[in-house]
Amino acid sequence: MESLPTEINTKILIGLPVKTLGQLKCVSKSFNLFLKSPHFIKHHSQQILDQNSLKLVFVAASSSVHTLTITDHNLVSRMAAVPLPPNDVSKFRRPTSLVGTCKGLACLRCPANTYSLLNPTTKKFRVLPNPGRFWVSSWPPSKVSGFGYIPSLDDFMVVCVALYKDLPYAPMIKVYSGKADSWKTKPVTVRESLLGFISDYAVYFNGSAYWLGWSADIDGKHQRLCIIAFDFVKEEFMTVSLHDENIHPGKIKALVVLEECLSVVVDEDDFSVGMWMMKELGVQESWTKTFSFRRAFLKPHVSVFPICQAGDEVIFEINLELRSYDPVKDIAYKLGDVRRIRNREGRIHIAKYEESLISPHDIPQDRIASIIADEEIAGLKLELNKMILKLQEVKAHEKDLLEKLKIVEEAHAEENNVMNKRIKELKDKLSRLRLGNEEAQGSKDNDTAAKEVA
């Protein structure tokens, strides 16, 4: 395969899982360079791999990270611990939380504004630059974070939001850009006053981070429960109305993205929990109740947290158990238990992630430039050497053909000379024969004439 063009190698290898590609890196240096190139990693990350399995990452407050794989037959693998570098983990001395997952990377946060990126598949881990502290007013700010990949910018970004109770009109944000590998701090103007966040876990969807929170109109008279969104590209906030602005905040259990729609889990009563989806982003009238599941398999008031969708089923964390719920059959299947981790490690955040070759160390632009300069140029040199060898082979073959052609031409020329000489000899002989015949015929005619005269 090393002799094949890059495009063909990409098409052959792009559908393989990360584990297999990791093994192929050991085959040869050229394979290693090719599989680590930004070109291949970017194309590989755009593929939907292993559609028959679901991968979950568990981040505990004690800074431990575990992964779990669930197949389409609800077969659950053993929960695997993800080892983190001791030197980096030492920076996480306080409880850790999961900011979010995107494109195969998970963003972790430790209080005092320490952030890191982790690839749960390759186990690559990196602590981001220190964003610095927010200024402190008379009221300590409430802070939330969000993480996502913005396709239009081709950049991974992290946002940290500080909301001041005495300055509700001017939240302060710090935004990390992977390309720049740095943070920038700026105040943000808002159309509505942001009063606070109900959840600190952000949902990333379509270029924005979303939280459940409170807002108010400019004069502060009308307060409402809503979804607060931060647009990474425009670097501005907006609010999204819930299906019922007067709903009690205690009834909204979680915000999640299902079927490419913002969705909320609503505690309807002691006997059922409902799922509402916003079919058209930003349009309040598009909120639709998709299903309710009865508490036949639940106790009243237990925690119900949706994680993700798996085919036609929804994966929930229900009272420290993983369950797959089928809304058509109204049946919940138990997939696993996280009580032991919860009891041992403290609070747990759970999220879906995809397999990816993207390394947290390769996100900064200068690092990517270094990779391009070192690895891609090395790959190009390898390709150039192959082309030079092929060109030398072609030239040698061409020389051999020219020598054979020269021999053939010389032989052909000699044959032509022999043939021309032979033809000339035959022509001369024919001419002599004709001349002899003519002389003989003339003599005969003379004899005949003499006889007639006599």
Side-chain angles (χ1 to χ4, degrees):
M1 292 180 64
E2 296 182 8
S3 60
L4 296 176
T6 301
E7 293 76 10
I8 296 179
N9 277 330
T10 301
K11 290 181 180 180
I12 294 174
L13 300 174
I14 202 169
L16 297 179
V18 173
K19 183 177 180 180
T20 303
L21 294 175
Q23 294 170 342
L24 288 176
K25 288 182 180 180
C26 303
V27 173
S28 66
K29 184 177 180 180
S30 59
F31 257 127
N32 184 42
L33 291 174
F34 176 75
L35 295 176
K36 288 168 61 179
S37 67
H39 169 80
F40 180 78
I41 291 175
K42 184 174 182 178
H43 282 76
H44 184 267
S45 65
Q46 294 171 348
Q47 302 299 308
I48 301 176
L49 300 176
D50 201 3
Q51 300 183 15
N52 296 324
S53 67
L54 173 69
K55 299 185 181 298
L56 303 178
V57 60
F58 300 75
V59 178
S62 63
S63 300
S64 72
V65 179
H66 295 76
T67 57
L68 189 70
T69 301
I70 304 171
T71 69
D72 57 346
H73 301 294
N74 289 337
L75 298 176
V76 183
S77 66
R78 292 184 61 184
M79 193 167 291
V82 180
L84 303 181
N87 293 336
D88 290 330
V89 175
S90 64
K91 301 178 183 179
F92 285 74
R93 297 178 180 178
R94 301 178 63 183
T96 303
S97 61
L98 176 66
V99 178
T101 61
C102 190
K103 301 285 283 186
L105 295 182
C107 181
L108 312 180
R109 176 184 178 271
C110 174
N113 273 9
T114 302
Y115 292 85
S116 67
L117 295 180
L118 166 70
N119 185 323
T121 306
T122 63
K123 313 298 189 294
K124 299 294 184 181
F125 180 81
R126 174 175 177 253
V127 177
L128 300 183
N130 192 329
R133 294 180 176 273
F134 286 101
W135 61 273
V136 178
S137 66
S138 56
W139 292 87
S142 61
K143 291 181 287 188
V144 294
S145 304
F147 169 66
Y149 170 77
I150 294 76
S152 60
L153 303 177
D154 190 22
D155 197 5
F156 286 90
M157 304 186 79
V158 182
V159 61
C160 180
V161 184
L163 193 59
Y164 298 88
K165 292 183 179 180
D166 51 346
L167 294 171
Y169 295 99
M172 189 72 68
I173 65 169
K174 292 178 181 289
V175 180
Y176 171 80
S177 166
K179 282 188 173 181
D181 194 28
S182 63
W183 295 82
K184 64 179 179 180
T185 304
K186 61 180 295 186
V188 181
T189 57
V190 293
R191 299 175 184 176
E192 296 182 64
S193 176
L194 305 182
L195 303 180
F197 298 90
I198 297 175
S199 61
D200 58 354
Y201 180 79
V203 172
Y204 175 77
F205 177 61
N206 200 26
S208 299
Y210 296 85
W211 302 266
L212 288 170
W214 289 93
S215 69
D217 52 18
I218 296 299
D219 57 14
K221 293 182 179 180
H222 177 65
Q223 299 182 5
R224 67 187 182 113
L225 184 66
C226 65
I227 299 174
I228 300 174
F230 176 76
D231 190 315
F232 280 100
V233 177
K234 298 179 181 179
E235 294 188 346
E236 63 181 23
F237 286 93
M238 65 177 183
T239 58
V240 180
S241 299
L242 290 169
H243 64 289
D244 182 1
E245 294 182 359
N246 297 316
I247 190 171
H248 190 277
K251 289 186 175 293
I252 302 293
K253 295 301 179 182
L255 174 66
V256 69
V257 175
L258 297 176
E259 297 182 6
E260 295 299 313
C261 297
L262 281 179
S263 307
V264 291
V265 177
V266 181
D267 197 355
E268 297 176 335
D269 51 44
D270 289 345
F271 303 98
S272 63
V273 174
M275 178 68 71
W276 288 76
M277 291 185 181
M278 180 175 258
K279 298 294 185 178
E280 186 176 349
L281 186 61
V283 180
Q284 185 179 16
E285 294 74 18
S286 68
W287 279 105
T288 305
K289 184 178 179 180
T290 55
F291 63 84
S292 294
F293 56 87
R294 296 176 290 103
R295 292 188 181 272
F297 53 89
L298 298 175
K299 296 178 181 179
H301 308 298
V302 300
S303 64
V304 178
F305 182 79
I307 300 172
C308 61
Q309 192 153 9
D312 296 328
E313 300 179 356
V314 181
I315 306 298
F316 286 90
E317 187 264 305
I318 301 175
N319 200 25
L320 300 179
E321 291 182 352
L322 290 178
R323 289 179 176 266
S324 178
Y325 176 71
D326 188 330
V328 177
K329 299 179 181 179
D330 192 24
I331 298 175
Y333 307 92
K334 182 178 178 180
L335 300 176
D337 196 321
V338 296
R339 295 178 190 273
R340 285 182 295 178
I341 296 181
R342 175 70 167 81
N343 295 335
R344 185 176 68 249
E345 309 285 356
R347 188 180 64 167
I348 299 175
H349 290 91
I350 309 173
K352 174 187 175 183
Y353 73 95
E354 302 86 21
E355 281 195 342
S356 170
L357 288 169
I358 297 175
S359 171
H361 298 280
D362 296 338
I363 292 176
Q365 191 175 40
D366 55 348
R367 175 66 178 170
I368 293 176
S370 175
I371 291 174
I372 294 175
D374 295 337
E375 296 184 357
E376 288 201 346
I377 291 179
L380 290 173
K381 286 182 178 178
L382 184 63
E383 293 289 335
L384 181 60
N385 289 334
K386 291 180 180 179
M387 293 177 65
I388 291 174
L389 290 175
K390 288 183 178 179
L391 183 60
Q392 290 175 348
E393 291 176 359
V394 170
K395 287 184 176 180
H397 185 59
E398 181 183 7
K399 183 179 180 181
D400 184 54
L401 289 176
L402 289 174
E403 289 178 354
K404 290 181 178 180
L405 180 61
K406 184 178 180 181
I407 294 172
V408 171
E409 289 178 345
E410 290 176 351
H412 184 64
E414 187 176 351
E415 290 179 357
N416 284 341
N417 291 334
V418 173
M419 290 294 295
N420 290 333
K421 185 177 180 180
R422 180 61 178 166
I423 290 172
K424 185 178 179 181
E425 291 176 352
L426 292 174
K427 285 182 177 180
D428 292 341
K429 186 176 181 180
L430 181 61
S431 297
R432 289 195 298 271
L433 290 173
R434 286 178 177 174
L435 182 60
N437 289 334
E438 289 176 357
E439 291 178 350
Q441 184 65 37
S443 175
K444 184 179 181 181
D445 291 340
N446 292 333
D447 294 341
T448 304
K451 288 180 181 182
E452 290 177 354
V453 172

